[in-house]
Amino acid sequence: MTGQPDDPIVRLLSMLIDGNVEFIVVGGAAAVLSGVPVVTKDLDIVHKRSPENVERLLSVLSKIDAHFRPDFAQRKLRPRASDLTGHGHLNFDTTFGPLDVLCEVSGSRGFDELVPHTVELSDFDLKLRVLDLPMLIKVKAEANRPKDRMALPILMATLEERQKPGRGE
Amino acid sequence: MGDELITQVRAYLAEHDPDVLAAIEDVDRSLIQLELQRSPLERLVASVQQARFYERLAASRKSAQGGSR
């Protein structure tokens, strides 16, 4: 599409969408997509753990040469379906940069639990399902790690700015 | 639903982490307003490109420090 920003992270998102993977953008990328002025270097997603969707995700991961990171021994370990149906966080390096595939966030919130707390963003040719700011804030508050506590004020301030009349997107 | 969540978070912070709650007022809102003028994808690309720049900068400083020893 004309004018779409050309960047590896956009290509990564396009690959997931073109592969019909059902996923939610979470973490720093979700914050940035919602207008939070922070820097993020990777893409975090929560995927639907149905067998069909895991198959589609595995297919995309194979096409983008996804392998676990860090990979000190350079063994290029690839994910298996059983990894993607579990509960953990899977960190990959891919052709298009780092991708973190999270089975669940903040305890036991998976795709199905998070979907009611998402917004659908359409920009250029991409339609993305993104975790909304209130749930992102709640997840950060629950995580209670120093880096999450540091992010809370700017997340809350962004939410306040977005709630001002005429600011919503 | 969102307002309810934020009320819960604010109540939690008021009780357990009042410094974080107070810091919300210190945030420079002009940065947020600038970001909201861009489209979501433009924001994301700008953000990751900035992160890569910082990484390259950190790597070059590290290698310069290593070379000067």
Side-chain angles (χ1 to χ4, degrees):
Chain A
M1 136 123 207
T2 52
Q4 179 170 293
D6 184 24
D7 186 273
I9 200 163
V10 177
R11 280 178 254 159
L12 184 50
L13 287 165
S14 298
M15 290 292 289
L16 291 164
I17 292 166
D18 293 346
N20 294 316
V21 177
E22 288 184 83
F23 68 97
I24 300 167
V25 180
V26 299
V32 171
L33 287 164
S34 300
V36 183
V38 291
V39 170
T40 188
K41 62 177 183 178
D42 50 20
L43 179 65
D44 296 346
I45 63 165
V46 172
H47 62 290
K48 189 177 173 81
R49 285 173 288 174
S50 66
E52 303 79 17
N53 197 54
V54 163
E55 203 55 46
R56 290 192 290 264
L57 177 54
L58 268 180
S59 168
V60 172
L61 291 175
S62 164
K63 285 178 192 161
I64 60 176
D65 191 29
H67 53 276
F68 284 99
R69 72 166 207 278
D71 187 17
F72 299 120
Q74 299 192 326
R75 293 164 65 197
K76 282 208 165 190
L77 289 174
R78 315 275 172 198
R80 297 160 303 177
S82 58
D83 297 319
L84 298 170
T85 52
H87 303 274
H89 293 183
L90 312 170
N91 304 326
F92 300 117
D93 269 328
T94 77
T95 312
F96 301 119
L99 169 68
D100 294 347
V101 176
L102 318 179
C103 296
E104 293 174 348
V105 293
S106 190
S108 56
R109 290 195 187 97
F111 182 91
D112 293 332
E113 290 76 24
L114 293 174
V115 158
H117 303 282
T118 59
V119 287
E120 203 170 84
L121 295 180
S122 283
D123 198 10
F124 298 97
D125 262 354
L126 298 186
K127 248 188 195 170
L128 297 170
R129 190 172 285 284
V130 180
L131 195 63
D132 66 22
L133 263 180
M135 183 48 95
L136 201 53
I137 290 167
K138 188 170 168 63
V139 166
K140 294 274 180 196
E142 286 173 353
N144 200 29
R145 296 170 299 188
K147 70 170 190 171
D148 295 313
R149 288 183 64 234
M150 278 176 66
L152 277 174
I154 200 157
L155 288 168
M156 305 270 283
T158 304
L159 182 66
E160 286 178 2
E161 287 301 309
R162 289 191 56 136
Q163 285 176 335
K164 287 182 179 171
R167 278 275 174 213
E169 288 181 10
Chain B
M1 189 155 38
D3 286 347
E4 215 174 281
L5 289 180
I6 292 305
T7 305
Q8 287 172 18
V9 171
R10 278 188 167 272
Y12 174 85
L13 291 176
E15 191 179 345
H16 300 282
D17 217 342
D19 288 347
V20 169
L21 200 56
I24 298 168
E25 300 311 313
D26 295 334
V27 174
D28 180 355
R29 307 294 173 114
S30 64
L31 288 175
I32 299 168
Q33 286 153 9
L34 278 173
E35 281 302 304
L36 291 176
Q37 287 170 18
R38 292 167 147 166
S39 83
L41 219 49
E42 286 169 343
R43 292 197 281 262
L44 183 62
V45 168
S47 176
V48 293
Q49 288 180 347
Q50 211 176 337
R52 288 186 207 125
F53 170 77
Y54 291 142
E55 273 189 347
R56 283 198 303 273
L57 192 66
S60 70
R61 288 187 67 169
K62 204 173 169 183
S63 81
Q65 280 169 356
S68 67
R69 278 180 198 149

